[in-house]
Amino acid sequence: MEQAQSEREIINLEHAYWRAIQEQDVDAAMEMTDERCVVTGAQGYASIDRDQFAKMMKSERWRLHRYELLGEPAVRFLSPDVAVVAYKVKEEMKVEGRPLTLEAADASTWVRRDGRWRCALHTESLVGDPFGRDRVSRAPTDEPIAAQDAVANLAVKDLGRARKFYEETLGLKPVHEEDSEVVVYRSGNSTVNVYRSDYAGTNQATAVTWTVGNIEEAVKELQSKGVTFEHYDMPGTRLEGDIHVSPGMKVAWFKDPDGNILNLISPEGGQ
C-alpha cells in the first residue's frame, strides 16, 4: 500500500507539472523544477536553469492547450528520494500560430531534497518509426524539384466523413492537422493531404495508387468494410471479380465518399 501511494504521488506530480505548463503558471512550475533541469528532445539536449525555464514557458512561439496521458505511467524508485516515471502523452498545442497534435513517449526523473520533490530530468521522444522515416516531410533544400518530397492531395467536401473513411476503412494514421481544413496522413514512407474544397469529386482520373503484395486479400478486406469497386472497359484487360487483370498487372479501383478515384495495384499479380 505504501509503495502504491508513493507511485501515485509521483504520477500526481507529473500531472501537476503538465497543468502548470498548460496554464502557463510559472511559479508553480518553478516550485517543481530542480535548480538545473536537463531536458532532451528532438532538437537535442540542454541543462536549463530556472530563469531559462521561466522564459521558455512565457514564449509566444508555442502554447499547450490540452494534454492526455495515454495508459498508466510506469514508476520506479531508484532510492527513497529518486524516482523515474515514464508514459505516453498526447499533446494539443499551437506552434507559431498553427494547431498541432502529437503523441510522444516522455520520462521524468524526480529528486527529493529537504522534503520537496523536484524534476531534475525530462525527456520527450515523438512516437513513430525509430529511424524517423515517418516524419511528415524532410526540411526543404535547394535541390531540384525532382529531388524534393511529393505529396498526394485529395479534395473532400466533408472532412469529418472523409476522416472516418481514411482512418477507419483504409487504416491511415493522421500525423498532422490544421484547424478543420486539412488532415495529413502517413502511408508507408509518403503522405497524403486530405483537405476541404468546394471542388471535391470533380477529378475523374485516378488520384492515389497503393501498391500491394496480395491484391485479392486487400480487396476482400475493403469489401468487408463496405467498399464497392469500380469496373472499367479497358483494352487488353479482363475482369476477375472486382480486379482488372492484364499481363503482369492486377488493378482494382474504388472511390472515397467524395468520389475521388483510388486504386490498388499488384505489378506481379497478372499472368
Side-chain angles (χ1 to χ4, degrees):
M1 180 64 71
E2 183 178 346
Q3 178 69 19
Q5 290 176 342
S6 298
E7 292 179 358
R8 179 51 53 186
E9 180 182 7
I10 297 300
I11 294 172
N12 288 341
L13 282 168
E14 199 72 17
H15 274 290
Y17 214 130
W18 277 99
R19 286 194 297 271
I21 294 173
Q22 179 181 354
E23 298 167 4
Q24 294 187 307
D25 189 338
V26 177
D27 291 337
M30 292 305 96
E31 284 293 316
M32 293 181 284
T33 304
D34 205 22
E35 184 57 39
R36 295 198 71 85
C37 183
V38 177
V39 179
T40 71
Q43 291 183 315
Y45 67 93
S47 179
I48 304 172
D49 63 29
R50 293 188 180 187
D51 289 340
Q52 291 172 314
F53 195 86
K55 289 179 182 179
M56 287 173 57
M57 287 191 61
K58 294 177 181 178
S59 172
E60 297 182 359
R61 183 170 176 267
W62 65 279
R63 174 73 187 273
L64 177 68
H65 291 290
R66 183 177 178 273
Y67 79 93
E68 177 187 0
L69 268 58
L70 306 176
E72 185 68 14
V75 180
R76 180 185 176 191
F77 280 86
L78 305 182
S79 76
D81 296 317
V82 179
V84 176
V85 57
Y87 51 89
K88 285 181 64 176
V89 61
K90 179 178 180 180
E91 304 172 41
E92 296 177 9
M93 60 181 68
K94 185 165 286 189
V95 181
E96 296 180 343
R98 301 177 65 179
L100 174 67
T101 300
L102 61 84
E103 289 187 11
D106 284 33
S108 295
T109 299
W110 291 86
V111 178
R112 182 163 52 187
R113 295 193 182 94
D114 301 323
R116 180 181 293 276
W117 286 101
R118 290 186 172 88
C119 183
L121 169 68
H122 183 77
T123 69
E124 180 165 279
S125 177
L126 297 181
V127 170
D129 185 276
F131 299 103
R133 294 170 293 187
D134 59 347
R135 299 298 182 255
V136 174
S137 63
R138 61 186 176 89
T141 69
D142 293 329
E143 296 177 89
I145 290 176
Q148 306 294 343
D149 292 336
V151 177
N153 293 285
L154 291 169
V156 300
K157 285 188 171 71
D158 186 329
L159 195 59
R161 181 181 63 177
R163 293 193 67 155
K164 185 177 180 66
F165 176 79
Y166 284 98
E167 294 172 27
E168 297 181 14
T169 302
L170 298 189
L172 300 187
K173 181 178 180 181
V175 294
H176 179 68
E177 56 188 273
E178 298 180 11
D179 297 324
S180 299
E181 297 296 316
V182 182
V183 181
V184 181
Y185 291 100
R186 181 176 70 249
S187 183
N189 292 326
S190 60
T191 53
V192 177
N193 290 340
V194 177
Y195 68 100
R196 193 192 63 77
S197 171
D198 293 335
Y199 297 99
T202 58
N203 180 14
Q204 299 304 304
T206 302
V208 179
T209 295
W210 284 275
T211 301
V212 296
N214 189 328
I215 194 169
E216 288 83 4
E217 287 301 317
V219 167
K220 287 180 182 179
E221 181 179 356
L222 290 178
Q223 287 173 333
S224 70
K225 296 179 179 179
V227 173
T228 58
F229 285 81
E230 305 295 311
H231 298 166
Y232 302 109
D233 291 326
M234 301 177 64
T237 68
R238 67 182 186 276
L239 193 62
E240 296 183 358
D242 287 325
I243 300 173
H244 297 73
V245 181
S246 62
M249 190 78 66
K250 290 185 178 181
V251 187
W253 279 271
F254 60 102
K255 293 180 179 180
D256 75 359
D258 287 275
N260 290 303
I261 300 174
L262 317 173
N263 76 354
L264 307 175
I265 184 171
S266 179
E268 300 176 354
Q271 300 295 328

